[in-house]
Amino acid sequence: MVNFELYKVFYLTAKSGSISKAAKELYITQPSVSHSIKILEEQLGMILFSRTSKGVELTKEGSVLYSYIEQAYNFISMAEEKLQELRTLSSGEIKIGGSDSLCKHYLLPFLETFHVQHPQVQIHLVHGTTPEIVKQLKEGKIDIGIVRLPIEDEHLQVREGITIQDIFVTGPKYSELSMNKVTLAKLKTYPIILFSRNSFSHNFITRLFHDNDLVLEPEIELGSVDLLIEFAKIGFGVSFVTREFVAKELAEGSLYEVNLDAHIPPTKIGIITLKNMPLSMAASAFVDELERNR
């Protein structure tokens, strides 16, 4: 197989029409250029150049070879430019999976900052429950998953993010629940609003009730955290949400935190990726940003 460097010498000589100009661009001597062309001609078994008073010209065979080498050289140059763009994050894309609430309340500030810093990087968001996000990650449909922990899976690399606290909230209709201590048994007598089945938060809180010998049967199940908040506000019942995601509503008094006489353990947000699968430059930079601000 012919050494690629010989083709490089051939290409630059043919492009410039001059051995001296090719030597200058390659930072080698003119005899070295002539020697390389001679070796290439010997290996291919044909004459590629003819000398003229102005320099060199391609022979018929040389012109055929040049038409192919020019394309190859351009593709290689384009590949090098693309890799440089990826290295400097002037292009690329990231596919991130997470629940609606995590995308809106946790990811959005990071996405905004990252987009300002790297406006050429395309960002694609995929919404779903934790099991759906894990499935899409394993199928290669997303690069990064943002989920609630714990997750035990030997195929995943899990990085811990921020700690969050889930609480029960209600609107003015049931504001008395924010005053005196309320047991789980007492809370169960009120209409409970939970996120959809198979979601982490749904399973998390029903398991807590089960551990206290209680069966939690929600009156309403919703597929949006925003709806959980609004339904609690207008008096449909008591919603189970994340305190950090309703800080504004609690501060302004449109929601009240239930004064629960039971400990709800905090949870962590996790950043999950596939083990032994290198991330793109863009995805790696975004994960680093999340970890720096956890």
Side-chain angles (χ1 to χ4, degrees):
M1 186 175 180
V2 177
N3 188 321
F4 175 74
E5 288 299 316
L6 298 179
Y7 284 127
K8 185 176 182 180
V9 173
F10 164 79
Y11 171 74
L12 293 175
T13 303
K15 184 179 180 183
S16 64
S18 167
I19 289 176
S20 61
K21 289 181 180 178
K24 186 176 180 180
E25 188 167 349
L26 290 163
Y27 298 100
I28 59 177
T29 63
Q30 292 185 45
S32 296
V33 172
S34 298
H35 182 66
S36 295
I37 291 171
K38 182 180 179 182
I39 293 175
L40 181 61
E41 289 178 331
E42 289 175 352
Q43 291 188 4
L44 296 176
M46 58 187 66
I47 302 299
L48 302 173
F49 292 101
S50 59
R51 291 187 175 272
T52 69
S53 58
K54 296 181 179 180
V56 292
E57 288 184 350
L58 288 168
T59 62
K60 181 179 179 180
E61 293 80 5
S63 295
V64 172
L65 178 63
Y66 180 79
S67 66
Y68 287 97
I69 296 301
E70 182 182 33
Q71 293 181 57
Y73 196 87
N74 288 339
F75 276 121
I76 291 171
S77 297
M78 288 170 59
E80 290 177 342
E81 290 175 5
K82 181 58 67 175
L83 288 175
Q84 177 65 11
E85 289 176 358
L86 293 174
R87 188 181 69 82
T88 58
L89 297 184
S90 58
S91 71
E93 66 174 1
I94 314 173
K95 296 177 182 177
I96 307 170
S99 67
D100 287 346
S101 60
L102 290 180
C103 287
K104 177 180 178 180
H105 298 285
Y106 172 63
L107 274 181
L108 195 57
F110 296 107
L111 291 172
E112 184 179 7
T113 302
F114 190 83
H115 180 66
V116 170
Q117 295 173 343
H118 312 290
Q120 302 305 316
V121 176
Q122 295 181 352
I123 298 173
H124 305 278
L125 291 180
V126 177
H127 297 161
T129 62
T130 294
E132 290 169 345
I133 295 305
V134 170
K135 183 174 183 290
Q136 298 219 43
L137 184 63
K138 289 182 175 181
E139 291 176 350
K141 295 179 179 177
I142 58 175
D143 305 305
I144 306 165
I146 307 298
V147 297
R148 288 172 177 254
L149 300 180
I151 284 184
E152 300 292 337
D153 192 311
E154 62 181 6
H155 301 292
L156 301 180
Q157 180 175 351
V158 181
R159 302 170 177 87
E160 288 189 354
I162 65 170
T163 300
I164 56 177
Q165 180 64 58
D166 291 317
I167 58 174
F168 283 98
V169 296
T170 184
K173 183 176 180 179
Y174 301 115
S175 60
E176 72 273 8
L177 293 174
S178 67
M179 301 172 188
N180 300 315
K181 288 287 184 180
V182 180
T183 65
L184 290 175
K186 177 67 174 177
L187 182 63
K188 189 174 173 293
T189 64
Y190 287 79
I192 302 297
I193 309 171
L194 296 184
F195 198 60
S196 57
R197 292 181 186 272
N198 298 323
S199 68
F200 181 96
S201 63
H202 189 291
N203 295 334
F204 178 80
I205 196 61
T206 52
R207 188 162 53 247
L208 178 65
F209 272 75
H210 180 268
D211 291 344
N212 286 271
D213 299 320
L214 297 168
V215 177
L216 179 60
E217 297 178 352
E219 184 153 319
I220 302 174
E221 294 180 358
L222 300 169
S224 163
V225 172
D226 288 341
L227 287 178
L228 284 172
I229 295 170
E230 294 303 317
F231 270 50
K233 278 184 181 180
I234 61 180
F236 274 85
V238 182
S239 291
F240 186 63
V241 297
T242 301
R243 179 187 287 143
E244 289 78 5
F245 299 166
V246 292
K248 176 176 174 290
E249 290 80 2
L250 291 171
E252 68 187 16
S254 59
L255 284 179
Y256 300 83
E257 180 176 348
V258 173
N259 189 2
L260 194 63
D261 186 23
H263 175 62
I264 299 178
T267 60
K268 283 187 176 293
I269 293 176
I271 307 157
I272 58 172
T273 55
L274 283 179
K275 277 185 180 177
N276 305 318
M277 182 64 68
L279 292 172
S280 67
M281 292 286 187
S284 181
F286 187 74
V287 169
D288 289 344
E289 182 69 18
L290 290 175
E291 289 196 293
R292 277 196 299 270
N293 291 278
R294 66 183 178 183

